[in-house]
Amino acid sequence: METKILEVQDLNKENLKAAMEKSDDIAQAKIDASLEKVDEAAEIIKNGGLVAFPTETVYGLGANALDEKAVGKVYSAKGRPSDNPMIVHIARASDIGQLTPMLSSKIIKLVDSFWPGPLTLVLKKKDNVPNVTTGGLDTVAVRMPDDPIALELIRKSGYPIAAPSANISGRPSPTKASHVIADLDGKIDAVLVGGDCRVGIESTVLDLTVDTPTILRPGIITSEDIQAVIGGKVQMDPALILNRPRDESEPAKAPGMKYTHYAPKAQMTVIEGERGNVKKEIERLKALNERIGLKVGVILFEEKDFVVAAHEFFARLRQLDDENVDLILAGALSDQNEVGFAVMNRMLKSAGYNIARV
Ligand code: TXA
Ligand code: MG
């Protein structure tokens, strides 16, 4: 299949603002040209096809969430296990009622505070949401993305859009259109080519079907942010913390074989410890491996630049893959900060929990 490349970069917040506030005709003409491309993409969704599109977190691979056949195609294009549920994206907060019978003051407060934005809510599902979309669960994950292209696509298609990240299953999530094209060209109907994703890691997933709201996937919206809005306790899914083999008596190569999430092609090690020691160890290992002829890539962010790290991490992994490095050495971030924790969640998975402590 030939994948249509639909350029829509001009449908962005700056142009929208200029067109609105200054009646800027040039900005308006650019927006209109992009809107035509979005129309084309919306037609594809309506006809049961697959369209990749930008969101503020990562690019998504969208299909009509209410069309079993279309959703089935998403699983096959990505090579995704069919028991892994998808997030359903909506363009108006009020559309949440089409997907779930749940309504509470907590939900309303969260939606008011964080939508559009990188917070996904797990809620009881209504019967019209097909089981394929939710991987057989009786809950549905819903979010309203903060991106004019995504919102316009959903609005124009007239359906909620199921969209996992637009990567081949197991590969790093795509934060640039070029990443999507590298993974899915020829496998999907179209790509809406917007700019780079602002956040860079996927949305925070919050389960509201349990007594204590529980974060199932950490993201840029933290438990503190959520607590500040709804009060009460918000917990981190214990599995997120247990997933970190921290026992120093264990060998560095933890049994991470089943964790092929976000995996770069190169072998990857995370170096954890006091900052100065981490830097020295990375330099030592780099020199050592280069001496035996290996190509080494390093991922080391500024110590407290958690938001920058989130923005850059997946793109760095893909860049190092493109450079054909043999080994990636990554400096751990502090997981005391929750955005740092969210990046570490991805970093450790990419490394298959291959951790060296210094
Ligand atoms: O930022 C994002 O969330 C991006 C953009 C495209 O919106 N999407 C994304 O989708 O990351 P995906 O499929 O790569 O990750 C969805 C995550 C998975 O970990 C999945 O297991 C979880 O959300 N999830 C989806 N529905 C769920 C449900 N009903 N209950 C529990 N977890 C669910
Ligand atoms: Mg994903």
Side-chain angles (χ1 to χ4, degrees):
M1 146 190 331
E2 194 184 333
T3 301
K4 273 192 189 151
I5 306 294
L6 304 170
E7 304 271 351
V8 290
Q9 285 97 323
D10 284 331
L11 183 54
N12 58 42
K13 288 184 179 171
E14 292 72 43
N15 279 342
L16 287 166
K17 206 165 158 218
M20 282 250 283
E21 287 177 3
K22 295 185 265 167
S23 303
D24 180 336
D25 289 343
I26 298 175
Q28 188 60 54
K30 287 179 171 174
I31 294 169
D32 290 345
S34 290
L35 284 174
E36 278 180 30
K37 303 279 171 66
V38 179
D39 279 338
E40 210 176 313
E43 281 306 311
I44 296 174
I45 297 278
K46 278 188 201 169
N47 293 324
L50 306 188
V51 177
F53 60 97
T55 80
E56 80 282 25
T57 55
V58 301
Y59 273 75
L61 175 57
N64 174 358
L66 306 181
D67 177 345
E68 286 183 24
K69 223 173 126 200
V71 172
K73 287 192 219 162
V74 176
Y75 285 103
S76 23
K78 274 182 66 94
R80 178 180 175 110
S82 60
D83 59 350
N84 195 353
M86 292 186 195
I87 295 174
V88 178
H89 297 68
I90 55 178
R92 272 177 308 258
S94 55
D95 288 348
I96 198 173
Q98 295 176 7
L99 305 168
T100 179
M102 273 173 81
L103 191 68
S104 67
S105 61
K106 255 185 211 159
I107 298 175
I108 293 169
K109 282 181 191 161
L110 289 169
V111 163
D112 275 349
S113 308
F114 297 114
W115 283 8
L119 177 68
T120 294
L121 303 177
V122 174
L123 306 163
K124 283 202 190 72
K125 88 170 183 76
K126 274 193 173 169
D127 288 343
N128 61 320
V129 183
N131 286 326
V132 260
T133 305
T134 63
L137 298 175
D138 58 2
T139 56
V140 60
V142 189
R143 96 174 184 100
M144 177 175 169
D146 183 20
D147 182 289
I149 299 167
L151 291 174
E152 196 59 25
L153 175 69
I154 302 164
R155 243 181 254 129
K156 285 202 168 134
S157 75
Y159 294 105
I161 292 189
S165 48
N167 51 281
I168 294 287
S169 199
R171 296 266 300 137
S173 294
T175 60
K176 297 172 188 284
S178 59
H179 300 159
V180 178
I181 293 167
D183 276 16
L184 297 174
D185 192 22
K187 297 194 167 106
I188 61 177
D189 297 287
V191 182
L192 284 168
V193 175
D196 297 353
C197 301
R198 174 169 55 81
V199 176
I201 55 172
E202 310 89 335
S203 60
T204 305
V205 177
L206 181 69
D207 187 356
L208 289 176
T209 65
V210 285
D211 288 341
T212 306
T214 303
I215 293 185
L216 303 180
R217 180 174 69 186
I220 203 117
I221 293 178
T222 65
S223 56
E224 259 176 52
D225 298 334
I226 294 166
Q227 234 154 5
V229 168
I230 57 173
K233 206 174 157 226
V234 174
Q235 68 173 10
M236 200 57 86
D237 181 3
L240 288 174
I241 299 157
L242 282 179
N243 249 345
R244 308 199 59 207
R246 303 296 294 265
D247 184 353
E248 280 165 289
S249 64
E250 268 192 21
K253 224 179 187 160
M257 291 311 286
K258 61 177 187 219
Y259 306 108
T260 51
H261 234 91
Y262 308 131
K265 290 178 198 134
Q267 143 105 13
M268 177 168 167
T269 303
V270 177
I271 321 288
E272 208 172 31
E274 188 273 320
R275 189 74 184 170
N277 292 342
V278 167
K279 280 189 177 164
K280 270 190 226 147
E281 182 65 0
I282 287 182
E283 273 164 35
R284 188 184 75 81
L285 288 173
K286 185 169 187 283
L288 197 72
N289 283 284
E290 283 176 346
R291 220 174 300 140
I292 55 167
L294 294 182
K295 194 165 173 187
V296 181
V298 171
I299 301 181
L300 188 64
F301 297 107
E302 289 300 319
E303 198 171 2
K304 297 216 165 72
D305 275 353
F306 302 111
V307 171
V308 174
H311 179 70
E312 300 289 318
F313 178 65
F314 286 133
R316 282 288 291 153
L317 284 184
R318 282 184 179 259
Q319 184 195 359
L320 293 172
D321 266 352
D322 289 345
E323 291 171 12
N324 281 314
V325 302
D326 302 295
L327 175 67
I328 298 174
L329 301 169
L333 295 168
S334 164
D335 58 7
Q336 297 306 306
N337 172 286
E338 207 171 302
V339 178
F341 176 77
V343 178
M344 284 311 293
N345 170 272
R346 276 77 177 178
M347 192 186 280
L348 291 170
K349 280 186 184 162
S350 338
Y353 293 92
N354 188 14
I355 307 166
R357 282 193 64 85
V358 288

